[in-house]
Amino acid sequence: MESIDRMPDLNELISSSRGLSEAEVLERRAAEGLNELPSQKKQSILAIAFNVLKEPMLLLLLAAGTIYLFLGDVKDAAMLMSFVLAVIGITFYQERKTENALDALRGLASPRALVIRGGVQQRIAGREVVRDDLIFLTEGDRVPADAAVLGCVNFSADEALLTGESVAVRKCAWDGLMAQARPGGDDLPFVYSGTLVVQGRALVKATATGVRSEMGKIGKALEAITQEETPLSRETARIVKNFAVAGVVLCAVVIVVFGLTRGSWLGGFLAGLTLGMAMLPEEFPVVLVIFLTIGAWRISKSRVLTRRMQAIETMGSATVLCTDKTGTLTLNSMRLKELWTPGGGFHSVEDSAAELPEEFHRLAEYSILASQEDPFDPIEKELKRVGECCLMGTEHLHRNWKVLREYALSKELLSLSHVWESPDHSRYIIASKGAPEAIIDLCHMPAPEADVIMAAVRELSGRGLRVLAAASAELDPGELPPAQHDFDFKFTGLVAFIDPVRPQVPGSVAEAHAAGIRVIMITGDYAGTASFIARQIGLKNPDSVITGPELAAMSGKELSERIKEACVFARVVPEQKLAIVNALKANGEIVAMTGDGVNDAPALKAAHIGIAMGERGTDVAREASAIVLMDDDFSSIVHAIRLGRRIYDNLRKAIAYILSVHVPIAGMSLLPVLFGLPIVLMPAHIAFLELIIDPACSVVFEADKEEHDIMSRPPRRIGEPLFSRRMVAISLLQGASVLAVVFGIFLVVLKMGKGEDEARALSFAALVFANLMLILTNLSWKNSFVRIIREAHPTFWWVCGGALAVMGATLYVPFFRNLFHFGTLHANDLLFALGGGALSLAWFELLKLYRPEL
């Protein structure tokens, strides 16, 4: 146990410490690097190029180029190799964009640390801690670096990560002489990176970071953020496998048919490779990684960190959002609003700077004495401000008193007490504050007096106020008792605070309701306070409240029934959140749950989407969650759901486009061989089309804004496949209609007696135009073509402009025209091709008009 005479040192240390200056921080970081252990390094340009060359599409391109060399066609071979370089360039850009997003996420995902720098407390990512940083640690924190304990109160840590010993070990303050020791055993004045604070609080000074820490010495490397295998990953892998099998079979058919009917087996292999390139949907896995990674980064810009990629999939399915009140729905910025004493009655504090009547001085005095001298809690900060404002110059402020002992708040007794010693050492003064029921219990009050107090509590909480009670006791100097109940407490009064609702919360609650998401508020406050706040923010059934004691007495079945209507839970302890989650899941709900404490971790892990608080949350809560709310603001959760729905929507659009665009490309590679017609598409043409498809599906669709009705739809069913039958059918129909028109144009041109080069050029131009229109029409299955063009993201126009410019060069620059085996086209030919491209998708625009529910 912490020695009595050492306890005041912690508050004195915190208030007097200045920490490192910004210049010293930069100097140490430049010399020693970030506080992180070796993880996956960024890929070099050569490594990316090597990995790209292992991709099937590039292997097919290289094989086709080799065949052209055997055929003596050096120009075609060189052109294919240039396409290889172009694809590597696009992939390099995408890889870098993805890695930059991962870097940003990695910084946010780093455990948070509360440091003192330049005399100011600030919360930073653990990876930014440097040697000699002063760090404040409290229960539930993950220690960010090896450090010496400068001062502490009831401080112990779980060092199982390093020692294998599951029992937490006590810590003491460093005497400045003891050398750094290895972890293990009680009463060491050192803490170690990666270990967990399980009790108390301390101010520590970082002694080693990164690879120089104990964790670094034993080679415990941090895991890099990796893409976990999600249901989407498995689904796309299955589709790619099916396409690959079909492609191999059809390739073999083309090779055999071409070889037998035309006598050129090498040409047959070239036609088969072309078909393989046309059928391979290699964009699927690339698009999936890019959408989820860039999507997570995009969400993080809204101050929401996605720790597990599955959360993006699940967010669109959430049907219930369970949220804390304080700091999430409210500003967590307390203001003293009301005081009550048994003798003085109610006193409303209208002006925060007004003087308090003398009969309330004692209540304010003991409320302040029961708080930390250098507080972090908003209520204690407000009490300190009230003391400095209203009690200055009175005998009720005691700057020269000394704290001898702190009795901590526990789940068994929701009160805390401080034992003070006056300068003359004549008496011990004990101040206690906490939940009114707990203070009444400490004071051993008779029922009639307790009823009067609880009536006042109900009156205050019914006006949306947070109510605490205070009590006082005195004791002759000597040995202190082990528990708060051993003091003879006298009830002092009630202090009530208001925590204003965040201005944007009512609108966010209404948006969640419109999206089919029920919002449930869970709070430790009284039922009256909870009901008052629920009405303010627009929750459904605000007067239907389930309290913690009622919940504890319910069976699981009874709770499952009651929770269908109730949206407010009051006087709930963290452990009861798990029962709420399980009851909602038993009703078939998809649950998102917020939490910040160590005891919230089971509920966060059990929920479909665990949401930890980034500012006030513990590292344990963050590690158990799928999402971290960096600003603790409820509206950020709703915004994240909106973004999650948008990401999933845009992913479906990109997949639909990929499916549809591969149909005409594959068809124009296969049909001419089967019908003995001139070859239309060669490997170079496929590679050119891929240069449109790749950025379109990975950039244009990813950047597209959400549909106007995205937050007025019901939640997506959990487990709903990305490749639904309806989506696949419409996509294949789109592709088939483009194939029919383009192949028809090819046949008409040949029928007119024009050469195969001209027929190839015209059908290819029609295919490019149709491809661009496929992108546009798939940007929305609800909006008209005109509206999509008007609202299209700038990235589409860049892709469209680039594609048309390069196509123009291949059609009208003689060198490139010969490389692509194109004939000369006139203006009316281009208009014919453009009209064919538009005609191929006109039916879908009409379908949108008559079936807006698409």
Side-chain angles (χ1 to χ4, degrees), residues 613-635:
M613 301 296 107
E615 288 188 347
R616 69 179 188 273
T618 62
D619 285 329
V620 172
R622 284 191 284 268
E623 288 171 11
S625 67
I627 288 175
V628 177
L629 207 60
M630 303 307 290
D631 57 5
D632 295 5
D633 186 349
F634 174 82
S635 61

Side-chain angles (χ1 to χ4, degrees), residues 629-649:
L629 207 60
M630 303 307 290
D631 57 5
D632 295 5
D633 186 349
F634 174 82
S635 61
S636 295
I637 305 175
V638 178
H639 188 58
I641 291 173
R642 171 186 284 272
L643 285 173
R645 288 189 175 191
R646 169 194 160 182
I647 291 165
Y648 195 86
D649 250 20

Side-chain angles (χ1 to χ4, degrees), residues 692-746:
I692 302 175
I693 296 170
D694 277 350
C697 62
S698 61
V699 178
V700 175
F701 284 99
E702 195 282 326
D704 191 42
K705 67 179 185 179
E706 70 266 13
E707 299 277 2
H708 66 278
D709 66 340
I710 198 165
M711 289 300 280
S712 59
R713 308 175 196 162
R716 179 174 53 85
R717 288 184 296 106
I718 193 75
E720 179 182 327
L722 180 67
F723 300 91
S724 66
R725 291 181 179 178
R726 172 175 155 275
M727 187 196 84
V728 172
I730 292 177
S731 297
L732 293 180
L733 197 55
Q734 284 181 349
S737 64
V738 171
L739 174 59
V741 170
V742 173
F743 191 62
I745 289 173
F746 181 65

Side-chain angles (χ1 to χ4, degrees), residues 765-787:
L767 185 55
V768 171
F769 284 130
N771 189 353
L772 296 176
M773 291 176 187
L774 269 176
I775 297 171
L776 268 177
T777 198
N778 279 292
L779 283 174
S780 176
W781 283 13
K782 297 178 183 296
N783 297 332
S784 68
F785 204 72
V786 174
R787 181 171 177 177

Side-chain angles (χ1 to χ4, degrees), residues 305-476:
L305 169 64
T306 307
R307 296 186 68 251
R308 298 186 179 94
M309 293 304 175
Q310 292 99 321
I312 293 178
E313 296 179 46
T314 314
M315 271 194 283
S317 301
T319 59
V320 175
L321 177 52
C322 300
T323 175
D324 295 319
K325 176 182 74 69
T326 305
T328 306
L329 298 174
T330 62
L331 291 170
N332 197 22
S333 176
M334 292 292 184
R335 282 293 175 262
L336 182 65
K337 191 69 177 174
E338 199 96 22
L339 300 107
W340 181 88
T341 62
F346 291 99
H347 174 71
S348 180
V349 183
E350 299 298 334
D351 183 358
S352 61
E355 290 186 8
L356 289 177
E358 178 64 35
E359 58 266 32
F360 295 99
H361 281 191
R362 181 177 172 83
L363 171 58
E365 173 187 7
Y366 279 90
S367 298
I368 294 168
L369 288 174
S371 304
Q372 300 295 331
E373 291 177 278
D374 187 22
F376 297 95
D377 180 78
I379 283 180
E380 295 190 349
K381 283 183 176 180
E382 171 66 357
L383 286 170
K384 182 179 181 180
R385 187 197 64 78
V386 168
E388 292 173 348
C389 176
C390 303
L391 299 181
M392 192 63 70
T394 73
E395 73 278 10
H396 298 288
L397 284 184
H398 309 285
R399 299 189 184 280
N400 56 348
W401 284 18
K402 182 180 180 182
V403 177
L404 295 181
R405 184 164 179 178
E406 177 180 317
Y407 292 87
L409 180 144
S410 67
K411 62 183 180 181
E412 290 81 17
L413 184 62
L414 297 176
S415 69
L416 58 85
S417 299
H418 287 171
V419 180
W420 295 83
E421 184 182 35
S422 60
D424 60 5
H425 309 293
S426 61
R427 297 287 288 168
Y428 288 168
I429 307 299
I430 302 94
S432 182
K433 78 172 191 304
E437 303 100 321
I439 298 299
I440 289 171
D441 183 27
L442 279 181
C443 295
H444 306 292
M445 301 183 74
E449 292 181 28
D451 290 342
V452 171
I453 294 170
M454 290 309 298
V457 169
R458 286 190 292 274
E459 164 71 18
L460 293 169
S461 62
R463 286 185 267 140
L465 301 179
R466 173 84 180 274
V467 185
L468 295 178
S472 61
E474 292 190 20
L475 189 70
D476 291 330

